């Protein structure tokens, strides 16, 4: 499997969910066992020696690969969810979207000050969602925060929105207009 093989398995859907957006649909790549394994193995290889203790996935496409990576790293998995989904006490962070605001939540007892955290999502566009996730984790207090995406949209400068982390790493880069 090469990066090009995996990129060609990702479907581009023009004008979804609204006109002008080129939606990168990973479900076509997820159907391919070699691509699925490639996503997991690339992440495990990259993060193996970084002392990660918790892998955090952002709802909902961040839930697909993150748990299998967590198992291989001997780390725990923690979901970051939309409001009203987590049953126990939560810490939350709101952030501005193109229209209105959105909120994400995490269980208040999910992290400890000793944790080295990897926050994962499928795709980096403007960076707004991940920026909020990083702020959420930072206000809970952990040792280090790493950030990972399967795909980074090249041309949107999303990385600039995400501040204060150890490192931001994307497995694949796709031009925003492709
Ligand atoms: P952003 O906060 O702008 O970086 O958007 C990232 C979130 O929205 C991720 O959870 C993605 O799953 C989703 N997203 C944004 N733009 C796209 C796109 N062009 N294709 C697929 N998913 C997208």
């Amino acid at each position: 499997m090469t990066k090009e093989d995996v990129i060609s398995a990702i479907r581009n859907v023009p004008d979804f969910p609204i006109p002008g957006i080129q939606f990168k649909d990973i479900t076509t790549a997820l159907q391919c066992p070699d691509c699925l394994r490639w996503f997991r193995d690339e992440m495990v290889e990259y993060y193996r020696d970084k002392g990660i203790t918790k892998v955090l996935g952002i709802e909902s496409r961040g839930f697909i690969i993150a748990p299998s990576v967590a198992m291989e790293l001997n780390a725990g998995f923690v979901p970051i969810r939309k409001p009203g989904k987590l049953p126990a006490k939560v810490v939350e962070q709101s952030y501005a979207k193109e229209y209105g605001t959105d909120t994400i939540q995490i269980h208040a007892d999910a992290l400890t000050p000793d944790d080295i955290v990897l926050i994962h999502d499928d795709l980096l566009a403007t960076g707004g969602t991940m920026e909020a996730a990083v702020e959420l984790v930072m206000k809970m207090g952990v040792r280090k925060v790493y950030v990972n995406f399967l795909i980074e949209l090249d041309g949107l400068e999303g990385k600039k929105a995400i501040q204060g982390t150890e490192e931001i790493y994307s497995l694949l880069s796709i031009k925003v207009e492709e």
Side-chain angles (χ1 to χ4, degrees):
M1 271 280 126
T2 64
K3 285 188 178 188
E4 289 67 34
D5 293 332
V6 182
I7 288 172
S8 55
I10 296 165
R11 171 164 56 193
N12 187 71
V13 184
D15 299 321
F16 182 87
I18 54 168
I21 300 290
Q22 302 285 331
F23 193 87
K24 308 302 171 200
D25 175 20
I26 62 166
T27 65
T28 42
L30 299 174
Q31 290 171 30
C32 143
D34 288 341
C35 296
L36 202 49
R37 207 172 294 110
W38 185 89
F39 285 134
R40 183 199 61 184
D41 292 351
E42 287 287 310
M43 284 186 65
V44 170
E45 185 60 29
Y46 191 82
Y47 291 104
R48 191 183 293 285
D49 299 322
K50 299 204 166 31
I52 308 289
T53 56
K54 302 262 171 65
V55 181
L56 279 51
I58 301 180
E59 186 172 357
S60 58
R61 284 182 294 271
F63 292 174
I64 299 168
I65 304 293
S68 61
V69 173
M71 280 186 267
E72 293 296 319
L73 295 178
N74 199 30
F77 171 73
V78 176
I80 295 179
R81 300 212 62 180
K82 291 166 184 156
K85 304 285 186 186
L86 292 170
K89 186 170 180 247
V90 296
V91 179
E92 66 179 30
Q93 181 74 38
S94 294
Y95 60 103
K97 298 265 283 188
E98 206 175 348
Y99 302 110
T101 61
D102 230 330
T103 300
I104 49 174
Q105 299 182 331
I106 189 169
H107 270 144
D109 60 0
L111 302 176
T112 74
D114 289 332
D115 275 324
I116 298 178
V117 161
L118 171 60
I119 316 177
H120 165 83
D121 202 359
D122 69 324
L123 184 135
L124 169 65
T126 66
T129 311
M130 187 57 82
E131 179 188 19
V134 169
E135 283 172 9
L136 179 64
V137 167
M138 296 243 185
K139 73 184 176 193
M140 294 175 74
V142 295
R143 265 173 70 194
K144 287 184 186 173
V145 180
Y146 289 89
V147 165
N148 170 266
F149 301 94
L150 301 180
I151 305 161
E152 172 179 331
L153 290 186
D154 181 12
L156 288 186
E157 311 263 1
K159 270 185 183 160
K160 288 191 182 155
I162 306 161
Q163 302 289 328
T165 67
E166 246 3 80
E167 188 190 61
I168 304 165
Y169 172 63
S170 310
L171 273 56
L172 302 170
S173 178
I174 304 181
K175 287 208 168 58
V176 63
E177 67 274 13
E178 277 176 5

